[in-house]
Amino acid sequence: MNISLEQITVRQVNGVSALKEGELHAFDVYTILDLLEYFPFRYEDYRLRSLIEVKDGEKITVQAKIVGLPVLQRYGKKSRLTCKMMVDDWMVTATWFNRHYLKEQLTSGREIILTGKWDQRRSQMTVLDSEFPDKGTQRSGSLQPVYSVGGNITQGWMRKTIGKALDQYGEMIPEILPQEIMRRYKLVSRKQAIRHLHQPGDIEEGKQARRRMVYEELFLFQLKLQAYRNINRKRNSGIVHTTDNATIREFVRSLPFELTNAQKQVELEILKDMREPYSMNRLLQGDVGSGKTVIAAIALFATVRSGHQGALMVPTEILAEQHMRSLQRMFEPFDITVGMLTSSVTGRKRKDLLASLQMGMIDILVGTHALIQDEVYFRSLGVVVTDEQHRFGVNQRSILRRKGFDPDVLTMTATPIPRTLAITAFGDMDVSTIAERPKGRKPISTYWVKHNMMDRVKGFIAREIDQGRQAYLICPLIEESDKLDVQNAIDLYIQMDQDFPNYKVGLLHGRMSAAEKEETMRHFYSNDIQLLVSTTVVEVGVDVPNATLMIIMDADRFGLSQLHQLRGRVGRGEHASFCILIADPKSENGQERMRAMTETEDGFEVSRRDLEIRGPGEFFGTKQSGLPEFKVADMMSDYEVLEIARVDAVKLVSNEFFWTSPEYAALRDYLERQQVFQGELMD
């Protein structure tokens, strides 16, 4: 029997003790395969260079000859060691900090390899790493991988252990890509790619290894989505919703506002899907406040009028309450019952609610992830809507879907993603976009000011609160950090509390329990708190129509999309709203981001500018996107490969020979392992 690398534990690598095995578990490394696929996130360049080609301040590795006597100075427990060297034809002073033990080894005439920061003006090098060729060198002349490590696991140990794993098991790495794809794109083998990602002989070798693994990751991702979509379409086991257009029109006419053209278009797309025999899987993306909730309400209305029930899952309790209230208002004239289930609904009330749901007396259930608990049964679940889908794991969403027999699924997100990327990234979903603001929504005036204008900003806060309004004050960190000189929430809260003795100032941050956060937001919602000092936990969700002022400290520390999400927390009521960015950005990028925010309010334009300014690699912080994470690939910078992979995957799964030919057996096994055929974990 062939044993696979997924079945062998890391304990089998020479030198991995039981203790080290436990420490590797913290990095999600359990098997040999996990270890071999624990890729470095960058490389240290230890290749020898000449001082002639080096810029001032650059980090370099050079070979030198010791020509002077080492001088050691001590400052309490700290020390500074300097020694004269010849590098090529230059006399250079090498400086080590806190490495006093090297003094004895720095003997005149001895060769040494130095890695450090070059100060051209002083002909000086601050040494970070050094080794002696006569002892046999380890690093010089090579590219060394840098891994995410911590605790008792050091870079050196990780490099050595992965090296041993490659020596012991490298030959057992199986190929998964079909030969025709490898030939078409001239890809190196999986075996080679994994080895060269950990131990690149040179830059080109590393590039080819990355190129292969990027394609593989994106191709397997797309294959999974397309196979699932293919199977789902063939099943034809979805619910056919029969609500006619006249009934829908009656509901839409009852709303106190008119739908925008974009909303009408999206409504048509969703209703068309709901009438098909396969189950809908659609992503609805729209900017903050573009009116996605109304579209969700139309889908929920259509399912109830077809004799089924609907579920709406949101990330927080306060958001659930808000949605429940607005759905109750909309559905009141139509005799549709809306219930709410969160963790704070307990005892008798909970029992009655669950019984009513099971008997079909509740038409629509709004709730948090309490909706996916075992004791929740629907009589006939017809449509599932999830709001801010990236806040829920795939498993949580699929459990909710399994509460019915292939119900239609509508997923909503307020992170505007360029449409073409959304279609590719969510390959198993159809994508609908609302790129138009509802009529009557007031624009939010955005200003960028420097820190030295804080007194004027405080005057502005006082003016808004005195008129009965409320304000948010956002800052990036919870408590002091040595690394970042940033206003932190706790200090800022104390300061504001002193500056505004007549107002109630509240504090909200990520270290508070869910109950404490809910409590604070409730007080803010009911105007018991006038000024809320918060970290970015306020980013998603709650509608406080009376809040008209959003102030963001150190705004240059946030990504553009995140700033845009934060700004969207105001401008939800009838009064004029403002967003003030306080920042002294040093970099051109930081300044460009501040300008972009003051120039546009359109989320899709913001996301386009973000991509332009930041470059593809770091566009999506995990916080603000529902995009999948990869080990090597980056969905933005490798977007073209993602497109190619999607086309390849679509072609394959729609071809009969893919499902039968031995050449694709490895890919079919992969889909089997991913449980695509049960449709269990796919969303």
Side-chain angles (χ1 to χ4, degrees):
M1 185 187 97
N2 278 351
I3 190 153
S4 79
L5 296 177
E6 296 172 80
Q7 296 166 303
I8 310 172
T9 67
V10 278
R11 188 70 201 282
Q12 305 307 309
V13 178
N14 295 338
V16 176
S17 62
L19 189 67
K20 280 283 188 253
E21 179 182 29
E23 286 168 354
L24 281 171
H25 289 176
F27 298 98
D28 282 336
V29 173
Y30 296 89
T31 66
I32 301 292
L33 189 68
D34 294 336
L35 186 62
L36 293 180
E37 291 186 353
Y38 195 75
F39 297 121
F41 62 90
R42 66 181 176 89
Y43 299 88
E44 291 280 11
D45 190 350
Y46 288 104
R47 290 171 303 164
L48 295 175
R49 293 167 70 191
S50 156
L51 288 176
I52 300 165
E53 54 177 282
V54 177
K55 293 190 189 81
D56 182 45
E58 221 180 316
K59 187 179 163 190
I60 51 154
T61 299
V62 294
Q63 185 145 359
K65 191 177 202 171
I66 300 168
V67 292
L69 293 171
V71 178
L72 179 66
Q73 295 163 293
R74 288 187 180 275
Y75 316 91
K77 288 185 180 173
K78 299 197 161 119
S79 68
R80 181 172 188 257
L81 177 64
T82 54
C83 190
K84 297 282 186 209
M85 309 270 168
M86 284 305 290
V87 178
D88 306 330
D89 301 327
W90 297 47
M91 173 78 80
V92 170
T93 307
T95 307
W96 288 260
F97 290 99
N98 308 322
R99 308 265 176 94
H100 53 88
Y101 51 84
L102 284 175
K103 185 182 176 193
E104 310 309 318
Q105 300 175 48
L106 299 175
T107 50
S108 191
R110 192 177 184 188
E111 296 279 328
I112 185 169
I113 289 168
L114 307 171
T115 298
K117 198 170 174 191
W118 173 234
D119 181 340
Q120 198 163 352
R121 213 161 34 87
R122 298 196 181 114
S123 283
Q124 190 176 318
M125 190 168 180
T126 307
V127 182
L128 304 167
D129 240 322
S130 53
E131 53 186 5
F132 298 99
D134 55 21
K135 276 189 173 175
T137 58
Q138 299 287 305
R139 289 183 289 268
S140 64
S142 68
L143 290 163
Q144 288 288 326
V146 180
Y147 299 95
S148 280
V149 292
N152 295 322
I153 296 207
T154 61
Q155 280 301 342
W157 187 87
M158 191 62 113
R159 284 172 188 159
K160 203 165 70 198
T161 306
I162 289 177
K164 285 179 185 168
L166 282 165
D167 293 342
Q168 278 175 259
Y169 298 101
E171 285 308 305
M172 287 174 64
I173 296 171
E175 187 51 74
I176 188 169
L177 292 180
Q179 283 308 307
E180 50 111 2
I181 282 184
M182 306 257 300
R183 279 195 301 273
R184 190 188 320 156
Y185 299 123
K186 300 187 174 61
L187 300 174
V188 300
S189 71
R190 188 163 212 270
K191 221 175 272 186
Q192 252 180 313
I194 288 178
R195 183 176 288 279
H196 290 163
L197 271 177
H198 293 294
Q199 302 172 339
D202 55 39
I203 296 258
E204 189 48 37
E205 222 172 58
K207 272 187 183 160
Q208 289 307 325
R210 183 181 186 278
R211 187 172 154 263
R212 146 78 207 221
M213 293 311 287
V214 164
Y215 177 83
E216 177 189 302
E217 273 196 305
L218 297 177
F219 171 71
L220 291 178
F221 167 68
Q222 284 295 338
L223 188 73
K224 203 162 67 169
L225 298 182
Q226 301 306 334
Y228 176 69
R229 185 187 177 115
N230 191 289
I231 291 160
N232 187 32
R233 289 278 156 109
K234 280 184 180 155
R235 254 200 221 131
N236 271 0
S237 58
I239 293 169
V240 178
H241 286 90
T242 51
T243 313
D244 60 32
N245 287 338
T247 310
I248 301 283
R249 270 201 301 275
E250 187 192 350
F251 171 64
V252 172
R253 272 202 299 268
S254 76
L255 298 170
F257 45 79
E258 200 190 328
L259 295 186
T260 63
N261 290 333
Q263 283 173 316
K264 286 175 187 164
Q265 178 56 40
V266 167
E267 174 204 359
L268 289 176
E269 290 167 1
I270 289 170
L271 291 172
K272 181 177 181 297
D273 267 7
M274 289 178 74
R275 288 168 183 148
E276 296 287 354
Y278 50 78
S279 68
M280 163 172 84
N281 193 11
R282 192 169 275 281
L283 175 74
L284 171 58
Q285 55 158 6
D287 210 344
V288 181
S290 59
K292 295 183 294 296
T293 313
V294 178
I295 298 299
I298 293 171
L300 292 165
F301 178 81
T303 203
V304 173
R305 282 293 181 259
S306 295
H308 303 284
Q309 292 162 298
L312 170 59
M313 184 160 75
V314 298
T316 66
E317 196 161 309
I318 192 157
L319 206 55
E321 279 183 19
Q322 201 169 287
H323 277 310
M324 183 188 74
R325 276 197 299 271
S326 68
L327 289 176
Q328 278 176 334
R329 269 199 310 274
M330 287 189 241
F331 292 144
E332 204 175 9
F334 299 92
D335 201 25
I336 289 175
T337 23
V338 183
M340 184 176 81
L341 182 64
T342 64
S343 51
S344 54
V345 178
T346 53
R348 183 80 232 164
K349 200 171 166 195
R350 187 185 187 86
K351 250 196 182 119
D352 292 349
L353 179 82
L354 293 175
S356 305
L357 184 71
Q358 201 169 352
M359 290 189 289
M361 290 155 66
I362 288 177
D363 299 310
I364 290 161
L365 187 62
V366 181
T368 55
H369 53 261
L371 294 189
I372 61 180
Q373 287 163 348
D374 288 346
E375 77 261 33
V376 180
Y377 294 100
F378 290 81
R379 185 183 59 76
S380 171
L381 182 59
V383 77
V384 170
V385 183
T386 42
D387 192 15
E388 287 309 331
Q389 56 109 14
H390 62 274
R391 301 286 288 275
F392 299 108
V394 167
N395 292 6
Q396 288 177 313
R397 299 202 304 272
S398 66
I399 291 169
L400 181 54
R401 222 185 52 222
R402 292 202 300 277
K403 297 270 179 198
F405 296 101
D406 288 325
D408 287 333
V409 177
L410 178 64
T411 300
M412 305 196 292
T413 177
T415 304
I417 302 165
R419 186 179 161 79
T420 43
L421 176 68
I423 289 169
T424 307
F426 303 101
D428 60 323
M429 295 186 183
D430 297 294
V431 179
S432 288
T433 303
I434 304 180
E436 190 184 344
R437 290 174 72 96
K439 293 180 186 68
R441 272 209 68 142
K442 291 193 163 46
I444 302 164
S445 312
T446 305
Y447 303 102
W448 163 32
V449 302
K450 304 283 176 75
H451 280 90
N452 59 13
M453 292 177 72
M454 193 60 198
D455 283 344
R456 283 182 63 182
V457 172
K458 285 179 194 165
F460 198 31
I461 295 174
R463 204 167 67 234
E464 284 297 294
I465 296 179
D466 287 343
Q467 288 175 9
R469 320 265 183 273
Q470 289 160 278
Y472 293 97
L473 181 51
I474 306 289
C475 57
L477 282 186
I478 295 174
E479 49 206 20
E480 266 322 293
S481 153
D482 309 333
K483 297 198 184 77
L484 296 173
D485 174 25
V486 185
Q487 273 283 31
N488 67 72
I490 293 161
D491 282 359
L492 196 58
Y493 165 70
I494 293 165
Q495 189 189 322
M496 291 298 130
D497 205 33
Q498 289 166 352
D499 289 347
F500 296 110
N502 302 330
Y503 308 140
K504 184 80 182 89
V505 181
L507 174 65
L508 190 66
H509 61 67
R511 301 257 172 97
M512 291 161 67
S513 70
E516 290 169 324
K517 285 184 209 160
E518 295 274 344
E519 180 74 357
T520 304
M521 273 319 290
R522 257 177 239 291
H523 286 312
F524 188 57
Y525 185 76
S526 56
N527 203 355
D528 296 332
I529 290 173
Q530 284 81 49
L531 174 61
L532 182 63
V533 176
S534 170
T535 57
T536 55
V537 291
V538 79
E539 196 182 322
V540 169
V542 186
D543 234 345
V544 182
N546 193 44
T548 53
L549 183 54
M550 168 62 71
I551 298 157
I552 304 171
M553 302 296 292
D554 299 298
D556 52 325
R557 299 212 179 266
F558 296 96
L560 259 182
S561 298
Q562 203 176 16
L563 288 173
H564 180 68
Q565 292 282 328
L566 287 166
R567 170 167 64 186
R569 296 295 99 225
V570 296
R572 291 169 166 257
E574 57 195 282
H575 306 290
S577 290
F578 309 91
C579 174
I580 299 176
L581 310 170
I582 301 177
D584 297 318
K586 304 285 179 281
S587 69
E588 181 51 43
N589 270 5
Q591 293 168 18
E592 189 50 47
R593 285 212 299 276
M594 296 306 101
R595 281 195 290 271
M597 281 294 290
T598 57
E599 285 163 11
T600 181
E601 248 199 286
D602 172 358
F604 291 93
E605 176 60 17
V606 165
S607 82
R608 193 190 64 73
R609 294 277 287 267
D610 206 359
L611 188 49
E612 220 170 67
I613 295 168
R614 293 169 68 161
E618 44 166 343
F619 174 57
F620 280 112
T622 42
K623 287 272 190 306
Q624 59 203 34
S625 87
L627 289 187
E629 289 284 286
F630 295 104
K631 288 179 179 169
V632 188
D634 175 279
M635 207 167 248
M636 296 306 294
S637 54
D638 298 314
Y639 173 57
E640 284 170 12
V641 184
L642 181 67
E643 258 303 297
I644 292 165
R646 183 174 75 100
V647 173
D648 291 345
V650 169
K651 205 153 110 196
L652 261 189
V653 300
S654 54
N655 228 315
E656 204 39 56
F657 60 75
F658 170 72
W659 302 100
T660 51
S661 159
E663 190 185 352
Y664 302 108
L667 290 176
R668 289 197 300 274
D669 287 350
Y670 166 77
L671 292 176
E672 191 79 61
R673 285 197 308 279
Q674 297 289 314
Q675 297 181 308
V676 167
F677 302 117
Q678 292 93 333
E680 292 292 285
L681 289 175
M682 289 298 306
D683 241 357

